[in-house]
Amino acid sequence: MKELHAGGIGARLPRKEDIPILRGEGRYFADISIAGQLHVMFLRSPHAHARILSIDVSAAEELPGVVAVITGEMIRNEMLPLPQPSVGGGLPGRKPKFWPLAVEKVKFHGEPVAAVVAETPYLAEDALEAIFVEYEPLPYVGDMEAALDPSSPRVHEDWNDNEIFKSNFRATRSADEHAAHIEEAKRRIAEAPFVVRQRFRTHRCGITALEPRGALAVWDATEGITAWMTTQRPHLQRLSLAEVLKLPQAKVRVIAPRDQGGGFGMKGSVYREPLLVAYLARHLRRPVRWLETREENLMAAGQGRDQIHDIELAADANGRLVALRDKIQTDAGDGCLGGTWGYAMPMVGGMRLPNAYILPFCDIQLRVAVTNKASLCPARGFGIFAPRFALERALDMLARKIGVEPAELLRKNFITTFPARLSTGLGYSSGDFVKTFDRLVELVDIPEFRRRQKEALSLGRYIGLGISTGVEVSGVDNLSYLTATGGPSYATVDLRVDSEGHVTVAYGDGPTGQGSQTTIAQVVAEELGIDPQNVTVLSGDTLTTTYSPGTVSGRGASMVLPAVALACRDLKKKIVRVVANDASMVAGDEEFSFADGYITYCGNSNLRRSFAELAHRIVIGAVDLPPGDTGGLEQRAVFEATRGNVCFSAHAAFVEVSPETGRVKITRYVTSDDAGVVINPLIVEGQIQGGVIQGISNFFFEEYVYNDEGQQMTSTLESYKIAKASDVPRIEIYHDAGTPNPTNPLGTRGIGEGCIAPVPGALGNAISDALRPLGIEITDLPVRPGPLFHRMDVALRDDQQA
Amino acid sequence: MYPSPIEGYVAPTTVDEAVAAFARWGEETHYIAGGQSLMQAIKSRMVRPKCLVDLQKIDVIQGIHQEPASIRIGAMTRYCDIADSELLEGPFAALVDGAGHVGDRQVRHRGTIGGSLCWNYISACMPAVNLAIGSQLTLASLSGQTRAIDIEDFLGAPLETSRQEGELLLSVELPQIVGRAGSAYRKWSLMTDGLPVIGVGAFLQLDDVGSCSSARISVTGLESGPIRVLTAERALIGVSHSNTKGIEEALNDSSTSLDTHSDEEADAEYRRVLFRHLGRDVVTRAFMRALGNRE
Amino acid sequence: MNTSVSITINGIAYERSIPIRMLLVDFIRYEAGLTGTHVGCTFEGACGACTVHLDGDAIKSCLVLAVQCDGRWITTVEGLAEGSELHPLQIAFNEHHALQCGYCTSGLLMTGVDLIEKDSELNEEKVRHGITGNLCRCAGYSNIVDAILSVARARTHEEEV
Ligand SMILES: Cc1cc2nc3c(=O)[nH]c(=O)nc-3n(C[C@H](O)[C@@H](O)[C@@H](O)COP(=O)(O)OP(=O)(O)OC[C@H]3O[C@@H](n4cnc5c(N)ncnc54)[C@H](O)[C@@H]3O)c2cc1C
Ligand code: FES
Ligand code: FES
């Protein structure tokens, strides 16, 4: 094993960002205040779908402390609506037009209708109660299948139906070629000895972060807008703000606070509220601040998943998969979400459906409906939570039909040659799925479990084992990213060394707890041989950083860190030139080592200079430099992936289901992941631990519920149930069977996004395995004890009668 | 999110001052105990108090006291104090079961038995526990008179009690016990210690041979408010702890008549299933405790 | 509708005239300027991010009015360290990687310290049960549990020695 560089790559370095947070000195959005700031609160629609007949704000305007009351009518000519080119330019589907406040009609329960600006948030809330809105209720469109029927009332009246997007994932095939492709898939299924046909359904849930959203904007006649906001993507916010306010980009500065309380995709979109906050700051010439309430967050942001899959999956007599068909439907809500428009997720999910398996013939069709719900939003796993559930469950059922261990079926069908291309056009650059998977299988000892399972069953106990996998492609190339999000994916970092040898790294993303201050410092430490404590990381400020797509889709490890390494390597070249020049010698960079704060000539260790001294030499004592070099020690690097970063996770869940209450207990949960070269195992394990628990929470507890009238019934943390410490197990995590990623100079793979996706399959398979004696298959999420109990009860009664 | 404007706040140190303050401020005056329900209602503006009369400084309604004939629990006694009380380890351990699992640690540091009984939330634990035990409540009226009332007559439909306007709950007296008795309470919720979908309390008294001589079984989580399950209580009489079949039948039979409802968390039938499941458990534990068996 | 209060936070008395309806958490954050205590709920009081100690007990500062704390003492996360010396639980959180975004952290530290101080026989189950009032969305809890247990064990060990 390679020796660990103190605090360098591979070290379990406790995080640098922790200390201020632990002292209560974190700098989150809500901790930022500007003298003279006003507070905005939103009046939100109580209806799912209604025409606004009138809004009376006169009483509210009279209340103490109220500065302004604003409605959609008042702003529709003052600012441009979305969509604008920055948000969704590249996306192939429809983009409904919307303003920050509802204009003419409301399209979901919780849509902002009016805004109060007041001296304190308490007074703002008082005034909300004095706004009177007259609504004419319209029929609620709440079921995605019904919404796609031509007879359905329309959500967007200027459209002729409710279909926001559809795709058949034909990749580069011509229409004719694709028709033939589908025929072949059908033929193969018709002729296959083993076929599973099943509908799977995943519910509306997401990863609401603990910190809600917020925005604070200041207007200055010369500088324009400065806006602090909770966002994973400050540069995207800047572009969209400039567009809707018709300002040059140079007059818009967006700052994502240093500390952000979680994002998980929820803070990756361009939302209504911050746009209005910026408008108000300019309109009122006063700083305006909006601090979201949890209720608003649960009503209007962060609702994800929500798909139906009708799958057909077939295998030949040897247990090789021959073809897959899937009709996917997704409920995009109203689709008014800048960036993804409610359908980028299912689009990507459909493209990735074939997962880790050789499936040359796929007929995948996606239809995305708009409904009267909050727009579907990115949530960790970006569109793949539902497809992974459906396919991994179908594979499990197929294995049972064939009569083999599911693990055997998976193993037989893994993609083994790279680069690989799926029938949907998606490319996989590298990996060793079999190796990572075998590690999992070795850890769980299936034969031993089967013995215990038999024994348990004889005692009336239902225990089960479920295995599933997930390939995540994140940190993708510019073209793919542009198509999916409307922006490029490259990472840019600026590295600056001061005259004491401390390094500052600046980049334009908006991290939300990923530990990037630490991992970036570790890469710098490794490359330059300095103490990671001497590295400072700045992020989130569009004024001091260059364009960057944001802290999304596992880009931290797969794109940003490689860019840091490249910058360091370029910087080293300059340092070596100076050292060599000062010693009047000629030497290449590889002849010097950077370690322990020193630069040492490998040919003669007496030629050794400290990094700090050299920094001073180049930054301050900047004379007699090598020809062509100038003073100062700084470097910009851009990393562009030519091929997507792939990571692979294999999960095993052990469960026991109580026949008395239908409650499922997870008795053990093991993962084996290919995280590539691991910069900091603490952080990688933390990402997986947290991601899997979120998946478990989604699977069993969380659900955004709309009643028959479209009322969102789960807008508190009491009703939207997130797993607590005693509801979840400890996850056993292994990342020792990974492979270095050849697509970037560090070999890292971004594990954060994808680690959640195998969870629903593993759990669904485990519960179905436990209940196989009763013939119960898990096809719908969430899995709740009551319904499960009833299914078991019926089966047990039938058993007794038989 | 933020309370509506509040005009007055009083923190009296005696009962007399408290009722006097309430009388003085009149309509939309509310006593506030631990605030673990009231503050939710105030912040959501369902309740818009003109004045709050804070009970935290009134010493005489705090704490758990062994009186000559019985145990008295002050209305302002917090869950955490009940859960840790040695005095309550005996026949009234259902109180410990209940209080030890209400909400979470922070809620148990603030919430009081009195507040829970006066609020009588649909799925609250203390009403059902006290219903099983058969507690007596003492209240002080606005005119300063006190009255005693049986818990059964106090509790009504969810969020309703027979408490008169301005009446202050002073204490909860536990019944006098002759012979062996034991109690237990358990709730079921989707999340650990969450508000229960259903909770069942049992209080059993045993005869000389260890059979049940009287039983009180209560349920919380019903739309009717907390109730006693009389059919189960009758069926348990004469049953011994080892008669698991008898216990099971008593609960199974009574569950069919239980008027349960369906909502997002559980359907009506599943609530009955949970009643049977929890009921078996609490009855068995109440037996064990009465018999002096350690769990 | 204003009233004057004196609330001692981390040993400092804050005397202020405030509206009666002001929540304790807003007093802490905006009157005392101690922003380590966070808010994650509308009115339900279910996330625990606002947990502080009131007279030594962990409570949710979003479910108490500031006026109710007149004359009482409060400890917030800022009061855990003694000068530059961190509380052992703060160190343990860092070492065990018990925080990611850190938004839940101050609340969990306050609940954790309360647990450690009041129960000398903590085990994993008790800790998990003890922190059900605190949601953590990022970390998946296990590292938090380990951090709390490590300090609890070190204490027991110290007492035994
Ligand atoms: C996160 C969370 C979880 C919870 N989980 C549970 C749970 O699992 N089980 C459960 O049972 N409850 C649960 N609760 C509710 C909690 O138990 C409260 O109902 C309880 O604490 C109320 O007591 P309190 O002292 O806080 O009363 P308050 O909220 O102060 O008062 C409640 C009502 O009673 C009145 N009142 C209070 N004391 C008196 C008195 N002495 N005389 C007359 N009137 C009085 C008040 O005016 C008010 O109307 C939970 C609460 C929270 C915030
Ligand atoms: S803000 Fe207090 S519990 Fe969530
Ligand atoms: S670390 Fe983010 S909520 Fe706990």
Side-chain angles (χ1 to χ4, degrees), chain A residues 41 121-123 125-127 129 291-294 658 660-663 697 700-701 703 705-706 713 718-719 721-727 784-787 789-790 797, chain B residues 1-5 36 40 42-45 48 103-104 121 186-195 197 264-271 273-274 276-278 280:
Chain A
M41 277 194 132
Y122 287 72
L123 295 172
E125 189 169 341
D126 293 348
E129 299 181 310
L291 200 57
E292 186 186 44
T293 69
R294 174 63 54 190
S658 157
E660 287 201 8
T661 60
R663 208 193 271 271
S697 186
F700 288 116
F701 308 126
E703 182 174 20
V705 178
Y706 287 82
M713 308 298 286
E718 229 167 62
S719 47
K721 296 176 189 301
I722 295 174
K724 304 174 184 184
S726 43
D727 300 317
R784 293 275 171 84
F789 169 83
H790 291 312
R797 277 171 216 243
Chain B
M1 179 76 185
Y2 304 108
S4 59
Q36 299 303 288
Q40 292 180 329
I42 290 176
K43 288 180 72 181
S44 64
R45 301 196 174 196
R48 303 162 160 270
D104 50 58
Y121 191 69
R186 206 176 137 201
K187 68 177 177 180
W188 191 95
S189 50
L190 192 57
M191 318 298 294
T192 308
D193 286 1
L195 272 167
V197 165
E264 279 311 321
E265 304 221 11
D267 62 44
E269 181 50 34
Y270 189 57
R271 281 191 157 80
V273 169
L274 291 174
R276 293 197 288 269
H277 174 70
L278 298 174
R280 271 201 303 275

Side-chain angles (χ1 to χ4, degrees), chain B residues 16 18 23 27 31 41 43 59 73 75 81 106 137 168 183 198 213 221 240 246 276 286:
Chain B
D16 287 348
E27 232 163 88
Y31 294 124
K43 288 180 72 181
D59 285 342
I73 305 176
D81 298 320
Q106 295 94 312
L137 311 184
L168 182 64
S183 68
I198 211 159
S213 58
S240 74
R276 293 197 288 269

Side-chain angles (χ1 to χ4, degrees), chain B residues 40 56 78 104-105 109 193, chain C residues 57-58 60 72 114 129:
Chain B
Q40 292 180 329
Q56 64 177 337
R78 301 176 304 167
D104 50 58
R105 202 171 172 78
H109 278 146
D193 286 1
Chain C
D57 290 329
K60 293 173 179 168
R72 304 178 71 174
D114 186 77
H129 185 239

Side-chain angles (χ1 to χ4, degrees), chain A residues 445-492:
Chain A
D445 195 348
I446 299 173
E448 163 62 15
F449 176 77
R450 293 293 171 221
R451 198 191 53 70
R452 281 201 292 124
Q453 187 178 34
K454 233 191 214 149
E455 202 177 285
L457 189 62
S458 69
L459 300 168
R461 288 175 50 205
Y462 297 88
I463 65 175
L465 162 64
I467 291 185
S468 89
T469 76
V471 179
E472 167 66 19
V473 184
S474 48
V476 298
D477 59 285
N478 282 339
L479 179 61
S480 314
Y481 205 69
L482 202 62
T483 318
T485 72
S489 69
Y490 61 81
T492 309

